[in-house]
């Protein structure tokens, strides 16, 4: 199985900061990488698919990048409503495993 | 609009069974592979099962292998998860998800407790 290593596990930043979350796959996943945002009590919400494509309705401050085994999610100008847990998921191989999550809060 | 709606969750005793359903709309169901993902309280996302669009290929995580069965009815745009021999550690929210451009349902809560 492909292992997805996500870091950091948590971070705290100020409103307006730029934050970056990284996700490393144990093998090349050919940009089949999704990023989700999950708030407490809610289902995960798709932010980015295919490593860098912004899902409809998602603010442009969310940016996905990367290739091969290494990917990142950048949140530009962090907003209070961005407090959530973020997950990466590879969809190239079955099982389509997830990273362990990154909990983002505001300082 | 793509929609996935799960049902069938509830409270069940250890060793019991439940059958989850997921009704899809807004897309050509028989063209997409489908998955089940679960989340235990306070924990991360766990990928547990996959079925190909035709139903011919399936996958199970080790944690559910031999106890859970995934199936689909393309005529009824429905995905199922038959869960037998349930354990306390199966407690959580179960999500139905679509492959390709991923869509998720809102989830259904399964609680295994005596």
């Amino acid at each position: 199985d492909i292992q997805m290593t996500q870091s950091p596990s948590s971070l705290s930043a100020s409103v307006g900061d730029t934050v970056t979350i990284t996700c490393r796959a144990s093998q090349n996943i050919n940009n089949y990488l999704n990023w989700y945002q999950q708030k407490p009590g809610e289902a995960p919400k798709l932010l980015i698919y295919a490593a860098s494509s912004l899902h409809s309705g998602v603010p442009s401050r969310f940016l996905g990048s990367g290739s091969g085994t290494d990917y990142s999610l950048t949140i530009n100008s962090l907003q209070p409503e961005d407090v959530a847990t973020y997950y990466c998921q590879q969809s190239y191989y079955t099982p389509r495993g997830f990273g362990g999550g990154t909990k983002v809060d505001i300082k | 609009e793509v929609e996935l709606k799960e049902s069938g969750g509830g409270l069940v005793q250890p060793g019991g069974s439940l059958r989850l359903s997921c009704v899809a709309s807004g897309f050509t169901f028989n063209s997409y592979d489908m998955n089940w993902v679960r989340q235990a309280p306070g924990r991360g996302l766990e990928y547990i099962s996959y079925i190909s669009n035709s139903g011919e290929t399936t996958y199970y995580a080790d944690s559910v292998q031999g106890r859970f069965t995934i199936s689909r009815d393309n005529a009824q745009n429905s995905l199922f998860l038959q869960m037998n021999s349930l354990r306390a550690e199966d407690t959580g929210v179960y999500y139905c998800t679509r492959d390709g451009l991923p869509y998720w349902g809102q989830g259904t809560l399964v609680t295994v407790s005596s």
Side-chain angles (χ1 to χ4, degrees):
Chain A
D1 296 357
I2 305 300
Q3 303 304 312
M4 303 300 292
T5 303
Q6 189 175 335
S7 63
S9 57
S10 65
L11 67 88
S12 185
S14 300
V15 172
D17 282 354
T18 294
V19 302
T20 299
I21 300 166
T22 64
C23 188
R24 173 167 286 177
S26 57
Q27 294 182 35
N28 184 355
I29 55 171
N30 292 291
N31 291 357
Y32 281 72
L33 192 284
N34 305 315
W35 289 101
Y36 298 94
Q37 176 193 67
Q38 188 179 33
K39 298 181 179 180
E42 297 182 5
K45 171 188 167 185
L46 179 67
L47 299 175
I48 302 286
Y49 63 97
S52 60
S53 295
L54 192 69
H55 187 48
S56 176
V58 176
S60 58
R61 64 179 179 274
F62 291 93
L63 176 68
S65 62
S67 63
T69 61
D70 295 324
Y71 300 87
S72 63
L73 173 70
T74 299
I75 309 174
N76 291 311
S77 187
L78 187 71
Q79 299 300 303
E81 60 265 33
D82 300 334
V83 169
T85 301
Y86 294 81
Y87 295 93
C88 62
Q89 181 198 25
Q90 66 84 16
S91 56
Y92 190 65
Y93 296 99
T94 302
R96 303 179 181 338
F98 296 91
T102 297
K103 189 172 184 180
V104 174
D105 64 25
I106 302 290
K107 277 183 187 174
Chain B
E1 180 189 3
V2 172
E3 285 195 41
L4 298 169
K5 187 168 177 61
E6 304 93 338
S7 62
L11 175 63
V12 61
Q13 293 189 339
S17 298
L18 278 177
R19 187 187 195 218
L20 305 185
S21 299
C22 171
V23 176
S25 61
F27 64 100
T28 305
F29 183 70
N30 62 14
S31 294
Y32 288 86
D33 301 344
M34 300 292 294
N35 313 279
W36 288 98
V37 174
R38 72 181 179 184
Q39 187 170 36
R43 305 295 295 274
L45 300 170
E46 181 187 11
Y47 184 89
I48 59 169
S49 191
Y50 158 95
I51 188 166
S52 61
N53 64 321
S54 66
E56 290 185 2
T57 302
T58 59
Y59 163 87
Y60 300 96
D62 289 345
S63 56
V64 306
Q65 176 76 47
R67 301 186 299 122
F68 290 12
T69 302
I70 191 171
S71 62
R72 64 190 296 161
D73 181 343
N74 285 343
Q76 298 295 323
N77 290 343
S78 295
L79 177 71
F80 305 101
L81 187 67
Q82 177 67 43
M83 306 188 297
N84 299 331
S85 303
L86 283 162
R87 307 166 179 166
E89 55 265 35
D90 295 318
T91 294
V93 178
Y94 286 70
Y95 297 100
C96 157
T97 81
R98 192 192 81 170
D99 255 12
L101 177 62
Y103 279 88
W104 292 50
Q106 286 304 300
T108 187
L109 177 62
V110 172
T111 303
V112 184
S113 174
S114 54

